[in-house]
Amino acid sequence: MKQYWWQSVVVYQVYPRSFKDSNGDGIGDIQGIIGKLDYLQKLGIGAIWLSPVYQSPNEDNGYDISDYQAVMAEFGTMADLDQLIAEAKQRGIRIIMDLVVNHTSDEHAWFVEARRSKNNPYRDYYVWADPAKDGGVPNGLQSTFSGSAWQYDQTSQQYYLHLFSQKQPDLNWQNKEMRQAVYNMMNFWIDKGIGGFRLDVIDLIGKQPEQEITGNGPKLHQYLQEMNQQTFGHHDLITVGETWGATPEIAKLYSNPESHELSMVFQFEHVGLDEQPGKAKWDLQPLKIGALKRVFAKWQTELDDQGWNSLFWNNHDLPRIISRWGDDGQYRVASGKMLAILLHLLKGTPYIYQGEEIGMTNRIVHDISEVTDIESLRMYDERIKAGYPKATIIESINVKGRDNARTPMQWNQTTNAGFTTGKPWLAVNPNYETINVEAALADPDSLFYTYQKLIELRKNNPIVIWGSFELLTTAEMIFAYKRCYQGETWLVVNNFSNQAQIIDLPDVKIEQVLIQNGHESITSLANYHLSPWQSFAVKVAN
Ligand code: GLC
Ligand code: CA
């Protein structure tokens, strides 16, 4: 397989609203990010995935774009963004733009035109349908943010489709001019010297609403090939698609370089393991480590050389991993390091979400008035109406809500964690006095330096990038695997639990401990006692 730069870097996701406020209005901004580039360079990352910074009325924090070629005033100006791209480049960091082209804001000029009349030239840029015979919604399609996916438009007496909020009308990818307008916009960004795109809910663009098909529609791959050919295909860029419905087979279609679509996709099979099958993300069930191991092993082996994995625990839509599957109490640092070592020594491109590298945790709320995220708010209303007890809904929001990831980045122990001198748009997690960047940098044993070392290991050891993967047979709560490359063998051993565990690999000769979350001298794995959350990677003699 040909080798690409994006196979050897680690990507860091910045959620601009919550990263760093430079002017005291309580909202993170582009100058704030620029001020922290040295910090990110120290961590060692090769690219930043920048969540949307385009002009937006912020119904869904920037994932509702009203102008793709303008910067949100709260975040700064186009000149600021050009400066960010240039200053990042000087530090060997590329900027990956978040491309939201399944839908726009209803305030986008295209939609403002489209809703004027049935024969407006932009009408067909969006998805419209007549009412059903009884005058109601055209069919049963549901919005991710609760309720019907159809919104009635008085002027033309038709419904338009919105798979997210009614302020996020879906674009009609069957329209050729619309597609061309999107490609022109993408080329505008490529010409600015960006490093690539993260493609928001891209598996929805092939939708066939009449048949209630949303994900993985019949023309999806055709559109992506066309997009590749008209835009990034001619440049050395990273492209990563957000694809909730991908199986390994589908992921190969997207990411096999021979199909000329994307570099890789985010797949979410592991993310769904702590919800009740067939229900919503809010319907909780405990994670089974055995299931997690099977899912990871499947993706590691099945993509093989015909596709490329992305590796992540966190993003702006997911709860903090230490609170979710680690231990955010006594073993916060140990479990955080274990999760980092486990993930970063797998095959694929790892993503770090802001604050993950210092072990930020979920923020607990007691009342819906403390919640800002549209998804949680809509779910709350819907479930209150359906008769769920308040406490159960709040519990789901505390475990799974998106605000957990969006509390401001914790920089130091001063007021508001050093995020802003004003009033933060979303309350800071009260644990900032102990969990913050300044404290992490001052402690040689902190999680930050584990992440830094993992990035370093990846840079210096082709086995991390190219090695084969094999899951080792061990006790249920131990996640241990083997990587092999050109005669070299590494073992990565992780105790995924609060209890001591025993691993027994009597015929293993340890040559070197490469990284660990403790300070043990590990000389043999015969009947080895792992302490809670213990994690290490060792090089073994063949
Ligand atoms: C993606 C984004 C999420 C957003 C949704 C609609 O899932 O990650 O934040 O709400 O798409 O754009
Ligand atoms: Ca600001």
Side-chain angles (χ1 to χ4, degrees), residues 21-29 74:
D21 174 22
S22 73
N23 63 353
D25 66 354
I27 297 171
D29 46 52
E74 291 168 327

Side-chain angles (χ1 to χ4, degrees), residues 73-94:
E74 291 168 327
F75 289 171
T77 62
M78 191 61 88
D80 293 327
L81 190 52
D82 289 333
Q83 187 190 343
L84 173 63
I85 295 168
E87 294 217 13
K89 196 171 276 170
Q90 282 168 19
R91 293 166 177 84
I93 298 172
R94 307 180 209 222

